[in-house]
Amino acid sequence: MSNDAIAPSTNMASFYLPYPEELAKELDASGFVMSTRRFYELLASETDDKKPVEAALFRRIASHYPDTFPDGEVINRDSQTNIIAELDDWDDLTDEQKIHRGNVNAAIANVDRIRYDLEMMIDSYDDTEEITRIRRELSKI
């Protein structure tokens, strides 16, 4: 097993960060794939408070890279930022599977709306702890 840094051959929207040899053996994994977009978004969030101009630049850079799944595969989205499935398998699904998929999509839409509402709220000192707790719980979802 080689721990040389490589870019995934599938899309160049991600890069590979190798683990040290002893950890790679312990974890039974050679490294970690990280989205280039996510990397710049993390840099932006880290510099938001201290250097907002630099954070804005990182966000502009991030916008030039596609979203990716954790394995590095590019996420295809439509004009409304919905994930486009590779196959349109709707006709092949059972009624139960269609209901489940609809419920999942509705739940995701609700969580996104709650996130949006939280971002639009004017933070007050009295609500800070509760809002922070809710934001953390949403990020886990």
mmCIF file of all heavy atoms in Angstrom, residues 1-41:
data_model
loop_
_atom_site.group_PDB
_atom_site.id
_atom_site.type_symbol
_atom_site.label_atom_id
_atom_site.label_comp_id
_atom_site.label_asym_id
_atom_site.label_seq_id
_atom_site.Cartn_x
_atom_site.Cartn_y
_atom_site.Cartn_z
ATOM 1 N N MET A 1 0.854 -1.175 0.000
ATOM 2 C CA MET A 1 0.000 0.000 0.000
ATOM 3 C C MET A 1 0.895 1.233 0.000
ATOM 4 O O MET A 1 1.744 1.414 0.854
ATOM 5 C CB MET A 1 -0.885 -0.059 1.247
ATOM 6 C CG MET A 1 -1.564 1.217 1.575
ATOM 7 S SD MET A 1 -2.766 1.083 2.907
ATOM 8 C CE MET A 1 -1.854 0.375 4.224
ATOM 9 N N SER A 2 0.686 2.084 -0.950
ATOM 10 C CA SER A 2 1.469 3.304 -1.072
ATOM 11 C C SER A 2 0.647 4.493 -0.592
ATOM 12 O O SER A 2 -0.527 4.598 -0.878
ATOM 13 C CB SER A 2 1.862 3.506 -2.535
ATOM 14 O OG SER A 2 2.454 4.762 -2.691
ATOM 15 N N ASN A 3 1.280 5.381 0.135
ATOM 16 C CA ASN A 3 0.582 6.561 0.633
ATOM 17 C C ASN A 3 0.941 7.812 -0.151
ATOM 18 O O ASN A 3 0.958 8.904 0.388
ATOM 19 C CB ASN A 3 0.900 6.781 2.113
ATOM 20 C CG ASN A 3 -0.088 6.074 3.005
ATOM 21 O OD1 ASN A 3 -1.110 5.600 2.535
ATOM 22 N ND2 ASN A 3 0.208 6.007 4.277
ATOM 23 N N ASP A 4 1.224 7.649 -1.433
ATOM 24 C CA ASP A 4 1.504 8.813 -2.269
ATOM 25 C C ASP A 4 0.204 9.552 -2.532
ATOM 26 O O ASP A 4 -0.825 8.945 -2.797
ATOM 27 C CB ASP A 4 2.120 8.384 -3.603
ATOM 28 C CG ASP A 4 3.461 7.695 -3.398
ATOM 29 O OD1 ASP A 4 4.131 8.022 -2.399
ATOM 30 O OD2 ASP A 4 3.809 6.841 -4.217
ATOM 31 N N ALA A 5 0.254 10.886 -2.462
ATOM 32 C CA ALA A 5 -0.952 11.687 -2.707
ATOM 33 C C ALA A 5 -1.335 11.571 -4.175
ATOM 34 O O ALA A 5 -0.496 11.724 -5.052
ATOM 35 C CB ALA A 5 -0.707 13.139 -2.340
ATOM 36 N N ILE A 6 -2.579 11.264 -4.419
ATOM 37 C CA ILE A 6 -3.069 11.167 -5.793
ATOM 38 C C ILE A 6 -4.417 11.865 -5.890
ATOM 39 O O ILE A 6 -5.109 12.029 -4.903
ATOM 40 C CB ILE A 6 -3.237 9.702 -6.247
ATOM 41 C CG1 ILE A 6 -4.236 8.976 -5.322
ATOM 42 C CG2 ILE A 6 -1.922 8.978 -6.307
ATOM 43 C CD1 ILE A 6 -4.720 7.653 -5.863
ATOM 44 N N ALA A 7 -4.764 12.276 -7.077
ATOM 45 C CA ALA A 7 -6.102 12.826 -7.320
ATOM 46 C C ALA A 7 -6.958 11.699 -7.860
ATOM 47 O O ALA A 7 -6.492 10.906 -8.667
ATOM 48 C CB ALA A 7 -6.028 13.958 -8.324
ATOM 49 N N PRO A 8 -8.194 11.572 -7.409
ATOM 50 C CA PRO A 8 -9.050 10.525 -7.975
ATOM 51 C C PRO A 8 -9.146 10.681 -9.487
ATOM 52 O O PRO A 8 -9.257 11.786 -9.987
ATOM 53 C CB PRO A 8 -10.407 10.781 -7.316
ATOM 54 C CG PRO A 8 -10.088 11.530 -6.075
ATOM 55 C CD PRO A 8 -8.870 12.337 -6.389
ATOM 56 N N SER A 9 -9.072 9.594 -10.180
ATOM 57 C CA SER A 9 -9.059 9.657 -11.638
ATOM 58 C C SER A 9 -10.434 9.947 -12.222
ATOM 59 O O SER A 9 -10.552 10.214 -13.395
ATOM 60 C CB SER A 9 -8.530 8.346 -12.207
ATOM 61 O OG SER A 9 -9.357 7.290 -11.767
ATOM 62 N N THR A 10 -11.494 9.901 -11.389
ATOM 63 C CA THR A 10 -12.838 10.025 -11.928
ATOM 64 C C THR A 10 -13.229 11.436 -12.302
ATOM 65 O O THR A 10 -13.970 11.638 -13.238
ATOM 66 C CB THR A 10 -13.865 9.498 -10.925
ATOM 67 O OG1 THR A 10 -13.698 10.182 -9.688
ATOM 68 C CG2 THR A 10 -13.720 8.014 -10.719
ATOM 69 N N ASN A 11 -12.756 12.462 -11.578
ATOM 70 C CA ASN A 11 -13.334 13.771 -11.860
ATOM 71 C C ASN A 11 -12.441 14.983 -11.598
ATOM 72 O O ASN A 11 -12.747 16.056 -12.028
ATOM 73 C CB ASN A 11 -14.609 13.941 -11.031
ATOM 74 C CG ASN A 11 -14.334 13.806 -9.556
ATOM 75 O OD1 ASN A 11 -13.372 14.340 -9.045
ATOM 76 N ND2 ASN A 11 -15.180 13.086 -8.871
ATOM 77 N N MET A 12 -11.422 14.859 -10.862
ATOM 78 C CA MET A 12 -10.528 15.962 -10.500
ATOM 79 C C MET A 12 -11.244 17.037 -9.671
ATOM 80 O O MET A 12 -10.774 18.148 -9.557
ATOM 81 C CB MET A 12 -9.887 16.600 -11.735
ATOM 82 C CG MET A 12 -9.060 15.632 -12.528
ATOM 83 S SD MET A 12 -7.926 14.728 -11.463
ATOM 84 C CE MET A 12 -6.433 14.923 -12.333
ATOM 85 N N ALA A 13 -12.400 16.729 -9.105
ATOM 86 C CA ALA A 13 -13.115 17.650 -8.224
ATOM 87 C C ALA A 13 -12.796 17.347 -6.772
ATOM 88 O O ALA A 13 -13.269 18.015 -5.875
ATOM 89 C CB ALA A 13 -14.615 17.536 -8.459
ATOM 90 N N SER A 14 -11.966 16.329 -6.550
ATOM 91 C CA SER A 14 -11.593 15.912 -5.208
ATOM 92 C C SER A 14 -10.112 15.616 -5.192
ATOM 93 O O SER A 14 -9.480 15.477 -6.227
ATOM 94 C CB SER A 14 -12.352 14.644 -4.812
ATOM 95 O OG SER A 14 -13.734 14.849 -4.873
ATOM 96 N N PHE A 15 -9.569 15.500 -3.996
ATOM 97 C CA PHE A 15 -8.198 15.064 -3.891
ATOM 98 C C PHE A 15 -8.074 14.078 -2.747
ATOM 99 O O PHE A 15 -8.951 13.969 -1.896
ATOM 100 C CB PHE A 15 -7.203 16.225 -3.751
ATOM 101 C CG PHE A 15 -7.540 17.200 -2.649
ATOM 102 C CD1 PHE A 15 -7.005 17.071 -1.384
ATOM 103 C CD2 PHE A 15 -8.388 18.270 -2.892
ATOM 104 C CE1 PHE A 15 -7.310 17.964 -0.384
ATOM 105 C CE2 PHE A 15 -8.696 19.182 -1.892
ATOM 106 C CZ PHE A 15 -8.151 19.027 -0.633
ATOM 107 N N TYR A 16 -6.983 13.349 -2.757
ATOM 108 C CA TYR A 16 -6.761 12.255 -1.828
ATOM 109 C C TYR A 16 -5.719 12.685 -0.799
ATOM 110 O O TYR A 16 -4.653 13.171 -1.159
ATOM 111 C CB TYR A 16 -6.260 11.054 -2.633
ATOM 112 C CG TYR A 16 -5.812 9.885 -1.800
ATOM 113 C CD1 TYR A 16 -6.734 9.003 -1.271
ATOM 114 C CD2 TYR A 16 -4.469 9.663 -1.571
ATOM 115 C CE1 TYR A 16 -6.324 7.924 -0.520
ATOM 116 C CE2 TYR A 16 -4.045 8.583 -0.821
ATOM 117 C CZ TYR A 16 -4.982 7.712 -0.300
ATOM 118 O OH TYR A 16 -4.576 6.645 0.452
ATOM 119 N N LEU A 17 -6.043 12.525 0.469
ATOM 120 C CA LEU A 17 -5.109 12.830 1.551
ATOM 121 C C LEU A 17 -4.708 11.522 2.216
ATOM 122 O O LEU A 17 -5.551 10.855 2.823
ATOM 123 C CB LEU A 17 -5.761 13.761 2.579
ATOM 124 C CG LEU A 17 -6.231 15.105 2.036
ATOM 125 C CD1 LEU A 17 -7.107 15.813 3.059
ATOM 126 C CD2 LEU A 17 -5.050 15.959 1.676
ATOM 127 N N PRO A 18 -3.452 11.129 2.091
ATOM 128 C CA PRO A 18 -3.046 9.828 2.646
ATOM 129 C C PRO A 18 -2.929 9.871 4.165
ATOM 130 O O PRO A 18 -2.621 10.903 4.751
ATOM 131 C CB PRO A 18 -1.681 9.594 2.002
ATOM 132 C CG PRO A 18 -1.158 10.961 1.727
ATOM 133 C CD PRO A 18 -2.362 11.813 1.413
ATOM 134 N N TYR A 19 -3.204 8.726 4.795
ATOM 135 C CA TYR A 19 -2.998 8.575 6.230
ATOM 136 C C TYR A 19 -1.552 8.132 6.461
ATOM 137 O O TYR A 19 -0.960 7.473 5.601
ATOM 138 C CB TYR A 19 -3.916 7.504 6.807
ATOM 139 C CG TYR A 19 -5.391 7.824 6.762
ATOM 140 C CD1 TYR A 19 -6.318 6.816 6.568
ATOM 141 C CD2 TYR A 19 -5.864 9.117 6.922
ATOM 142 C CE1 TYR A 19 -7.672 7.089 6.537
ATOM 143 C CE2 TYR A 19 -7.221 9.394 6.888
ATOM 144 C CZ TYR A 19 -8.125 8.385 6.705
ATOM 145 O OH TYR A 19 -9.457 8.650 6.676
ATOM 146 N N PRO A 20 -0.974 8.455 7.623
ATOM 147 C CA PRO A 20 0.353 7.907 7.948
ATOM 148 C C PRO A 20 0.280 6.371 7.961
ATOM 149 O O PRO A 20 -0.771 5.796 8.279
ATOM 150 C CB PRO A 20 0.635 8.454 9.345
ATOM 151 C CG PRO A 20 -0.257 9.646 9.489
ATOM 152 C CD PRO A 20 -1.471 9.360 8.658
ATOM 153 N N GLU A 21 1.367 5.726 7.626
ATOM 154 C CA GLU A 21 1.419 4.268 7.478
ATOM 155 C C GLU A 21 0.814 3.533 8.671
ATOM 156 O O GLU A 21 -0.006 2.635 8.508
ATOM 157 C CB GLU A 21 2.864 3.797 7.271
ATOM 158 C CG GLU A 21 3.462 4.170 5.948
ATOM 159 C CD GLU A 21 2.878 3.377 4.795
ATOM 160 O OE1 GLU A 21 2.421 2.235 4.992
ATOM 161 O OE2 GLU A 21 2.868 3.926 3.679
ATOM 162 N N GLU A 22 1.209 3.932 9.903
ATOM 163 C CA GLU A 22 0.727 3.194 11.081
ATOM 164 C C GLU A 22 -0.785 3.346 11.270
ATOM 165 O O GLU A 22 -1.470 2.408 11.647
ATOM 166 C CB GLU A 22 1.479 3.596 12.360
ATOM 167 C CG GLU A 22 1.376 5.051 12.753
ATOM 168 C CD GLU A 22 2.382 5.962 12.053
ATOM 169 O OE1 GLU A 22 3.174 5.483 11.220
ATOM 170 O OE2 GLU A 22 2.367 7.171 12.352
ATOM 171 N N LEU A 23 -1.320 4.529 10.967
ATOM 172 C CA LEU A 23 -2.771 4.718 11.063
ATOM 173 C C LEU A 23 -3.503 4.011 9.925
ATOM 174 O O LEU A 23 -4.603 3.490 10.116
ATOM 175 C CB LEU A 23 -3.126 6.196 11.053
ATOM 176 C CG LEU A 23 -2.838 6.965 12.333
ATOM 177 C CD1 LEU A 23 -3.144 8.444 12.157
ATOM 178 C CD2 LEU A 23 -3.648 6.403 13.481
ATOM 179 N N ALA A 24 -2.903 3.994 8.765
ATOM 180 C CA ALA A 24 -3.527 3.331 7.619
ATOM 181 C C ALA A 24 -3.721 1.845 7.916
ATOM 182 O O ALA A 24 -4.784 1.284 7.624
ATOM 183 C CB ALA A 24 -2.670 3.522 6.370
ATOM 184 N N LYS A 25 -2.735 1.225 8.539
ATOM 185 C CA LYS A 25 -2.857 -0.192 8.893
ATOM 186 C C LYS A 25 -3.911 -0.381 9.971
ATOM 187 O O LYS A 25 -4.728 -1.303 9.910
ATOM 188 C CB LYS A 25 -1.512 -0.728 9.368
ATOM 189 C CG LYS A 25 -0.500 -0.852 8.264
ATOM 190 C CD LYS A 25 0.831 -1.302 8.786
ATOM 191 C CE LYS A 25 1.867 -1.288 7.675
ATOM 192 N NZ LYS A 25 3.212 -1.547 8.179
ATOM 193 N N GLU A 26 -3.905 0.491 10.963
ATOM 194 C CA GLU A 26 -4.857 0.394 12.067
ATOM 195 C C GLU A 26 -6.289 0.606 11.587
ATOM 196 O O GLU A 26 -7.210 -0.095 12.009
ATOM 197 C CB GLU A 26 -4.504 1.441 13.132
ATOM 198 C CG GLU A 26 -5.409 1.461 14.328
ATOM 199 C CD GLU A 26 -5.036 2.573 15.289
ATOM 200 O OE1 GLU A 26 -3.825 2.821 15.476
ATOM 201 O OE2 GLU A 26 -5.957 3.193 15.846
ATOM 202 N N LEU A 27 -6.492 1.568 10.692
ATOM 203 C CA LEU A 27 -7.829 1.892 10.211
ATOM 204 C C LEU A 27 -8.263 1.039 9.025
ATOM 205 O O LEU A 27 -9.417 1.096 8.614
ATOM 206 C CB LEU A 27 -7.888 3.368 9.809
ATOM 207 C CG LEU A 27 -7.613 4.379 10.921
ATOM 208 C CD1 LEU A 27 -7.504 5.779 10.342
ATOM 209 C CD2 LEU A 27 -8.722 4.311 11.961
ATOM 210 N N ASP A 28 -7.323 0.306 8.459
ATOM 211 C CA ASP A 28 -7.563 -0.481 7.257
ATOM 212 C C ASP A 28 -8.076 0.410 6.124
ATOM 213 O O ASP A 28 -9.028 0.089 5.416
ATOM 214 C CB ASP A 28 -8.549 -1.615 7.533
ATOM 215 C CG ASP A 28 -8.550 -2.644 6.403
ATOM 216 O OD1 ASP A 28 -7.499 -2.806 5.753
ATOM 217 O OD2 ASP A 28 -9.605 -3.259 6.166
ATOM 218 N N ALA A 29 -7.457 1.571 6.008
ATOM 219 C CA ALA A 29 -7.780 2.530 4.949
ATOM 220 C C ALA A 29 -6.502 3.282 4.616
ATOM 221 O O ALA A 29 -5.716 3.593 5.499
ATOM 222 C CB ALA A 29 -8.853 3.493 5.408
ATOM 223 N N SER A 30 -6.314 3.580 3.360
ATOM 224 C CA SER A 30 -5.064 4.232 2.975
ATOM 225 C C SER A 30 -5.144 5.752 3.042
ATOM 226 O O SER A 30 -4.127 6.422 3.122
ATOM 227 C CB SER A 30 -4.666 3.813 1.556
ATOM 228 O OG SER A 30 -5.660 4.230 0.649
ATOM 229 N N GLY A 31 -6.354 6.302 3.009
ATOM 230 C CA GLY A 31 -6.451 7.751 3.041
ATOM 231 C C GLY A 31 -7.882 8.217 2.993
ATOM 232 O O GLY A 31 -8.816 7.457 3.213
ATOM 233 N N PHE A 32 -8.007 9.488 2.673
ATOM 234 C CA PHE A 32 -9.291 10.160 2.787
ATOM 235 C C PHE A 32 -9.468 11.028 1.549
ATOM 236 O O PHE A 32 -8.549 11.736 1.150
ATOM 237 C CB PHE A 32 -9.193 10.951 4.092
ATOM 238 C CG PHE A 32 -10.063 12.133 4.250
ATOM 239 C CD1 PHE A 32 -11.331 11.999 4.781
ATOM 240 C CD2 PHE A 32 -9.625 13.401 3.933
ATOM 241 C CE1 PHE A 32 -12.127 13.101 4.989
ATOM 242 C CE2 PHE A 32 -10.406 14.505 4.134
ATOM 243 C CZ PHE A 32 -11.672 14.351 4.661
ATOM 244 N N VAL A 33 -10.633 10.942 0.926
ATOM 245 C CA VAL A 33 -10.943 11.745 -0.255
ATOM 246 C C VAL A 33 -11.701 12.985 0.195
ATOM 247 O O VAL A 33 -12.661 12.897 0.953
ATOM 248 C CB VAL A 33 -11.789 10.951 -1.267
ATOM 249 C CG1 VAL A 33 -12.197 11.822 -2.447
ATOM 250 C CG2 VAL A 33 -11.020 9.732 -1.752
ATOM 251 N N MET A 34 -11.250 14.141 -0.264
ATOM 252 C CA MET A 34 -11.904 15.384 0.116
ATOM 253 C C MET A 34 -12.262 16.181 -1.125
ATOM 254 O O MET A 34 -11.463 16.315 -2.049
ATOM 255 C CB MET A 34 -10.996 16.221 1.006
ATOM 256 C CG MET A 34 -11.643 17.491 1.479
ATOM 257 S SD MET A 34 -10.644 18.299 2.711
ATOM 258 C CE MET A 34 -11.843 19.398 3.407
ATOM 259 N N SER A 35 -13.456 16.711 -1.113
ATOM 260 C CA SER A 35 -13.931 17.546 -2.201
ATOM 261 C C SER A 35 -13.162 18.865 -2.215
ATOM 262 O O SER A 35 -12.982 19.498 -1.178
ATOM 263 C CB SER A 35 -15.427 17.816 -1.996
ATOM 264 O OG SER A 35 -15.839 18.940 -2.703
ATOM 265 N N THR A 36 -12.728 19.284 -3.382
ATOM 266 C CA THR A 36 -12.037 20.565 -3.517
ATOM 267 C C THR A 36 -12.983 21.693 -3.117
ATOM 268 O O THR A 36 -12.589 22.638 -2.425
ATOM 269 C CB THR A 36 -11.551 20.763 -4.965
ATOM 270 O OG1 THR A 36 -10.734 19.654 -5.325
ATOM 271 C CG2 THR A 36 -10.766 22.047 -5.116
ATOM 272 N N ARG A 37 -14.238 21.573 -3.527
ATOM 273 C CA ARG A 37 -15.245 22.584 -3.157
ATOM 274 C C ARG A 37 -15.385 22.679 -1.643
ATOM 275 O O ARG A 37 -15.388 23.762 -1.073
ATOM 276 C CB ARG A 37 -16.582 22.227 -3.798
ATOM 277 C CG ARG A 37 -17.677 23.206 -3.456
ATOM 278 C CD ARG A 37 -19.027 22.732 -4.004
ATOM 279 N NE ARG A 37 -20.001 23.774 -3.904
ATOM 280 C CZ ARG A 37 -20.476 24.471 -4.915
ATOM 281 N NH1 ARG A 37 -20.061 24.248 -6.133
ATOM 282 N NH2 ARG A 37 -21.368 25.418 -4.712
ATOM 283 N N ARG A 38 -15.504 21.513 -0.980
ATOM 284 C CA ARG A 38 -15.676 21.486 0.473
ATOM 285 C C ARG A 38 -14.450 22.072 1.170
ATOM 286 O O ARG A 38 -14.570 22.756 2.183
ATOM 287 C CB ARG A 38 -15.930 20.051 0.941
ATOM 288 C CG ARG A 38 -16.147 19.921 2.409
ATOM 289 C CD ARG A 38 -17.497 20.492 2.816
ATOM 290 N NE ARG A 38 -17.638 20.392 4.248
ATOM 291 C CZ ARG A 38 -17.941 21.393 5.051
ATOM 292 N NH1 ARG A 38 -18.198 22.574 4.558
ATOM 293 N NH2 ARG A 38 -18.023 21.234 6.338
ATOM 294 N N PHE A 39 -13.269 21.839 0.640
ATOM 295 C CA PHE A 39 -12.043 22.378 1.206
ATOM 296 C C PHE A 39 -12.087 23.915 1.231
ATOM 297 O O PHE A 39 -11.830 24.541 2.254
ATOM 298 C CB PHE A 39 -10.836 21.892 0.398
ATOM 299 C CG PHE A 39 -9.543 22.535 0.793
ATOM 300 C CD1 PHE A 39 -8.921 22.197 1.981
ATOM 301 C CD2 PHE A 39 -8.957 23.489 -0.024
ATOM 302 C CE1 PHE A 39 -7.725 22.793 2.357
ATOM 303 C CE2 PHE A 39 -7.764 24.094 0.339
ATOM 304 C CZ PHE A 39 -7.156 23.748 1.531
ATOM 305 N N TYR A 40 -12.453 24.516 0.094
ATOM 306 C CA TYR A 40 -12.533 25.978 0.043
ATOM 307 C C TYR A 40 -13.668 26.515 0.918
ATOM 308 O O TYR A 40 -13.549 27.588 1.502
ATOM 309 C CB TYR A 40 -12.672 26.471 -1.400
ATOM 310 C CG TYR A 40 -11.348 26.447 -2.130
ATOM 311 C CD1 TYR A 40 -11.107 25.535 -3.148
ATOM 312 C CD2 TYR A 40 -10.326 27.326 -1.785
ATOM 313 C CE1 TYR A 40 -9.881 25.508 -3.804
ATOM 314 C CE2 TYR A 40 -9.112 27.301 -2.432
ATOM 315 C CZ TYR A 40 -8.892 26.394 -3.438
ATOM 316 O OH TYR A 40 -7.682 26.371 -4.077
ATOM 317 N N GLU A 41 -14.769 25.771 1.010
ATOM 318 C CA GLU A 41 -15.859 26.203 1.898
ATOM 319 C C GLU A 41 -15.416 26.183 3.357
ATOM 320 O O GLU A 41 -15.776 27.062 4.138
ATOM 321 C CB GLU A 41 -17.091 25.312 1.703
ATOM 322 C CG GLU A 41 -17.792 25.567 0.386
ATOM 323 C CD GLU A 41 -18.865 24.540 0.065
ATOM 324 O OE1 GLU A 41 -18.911 23.469 0.728
ATOM 325 O OE2 GLU A 41 -19.661 24.804 -0.845
#
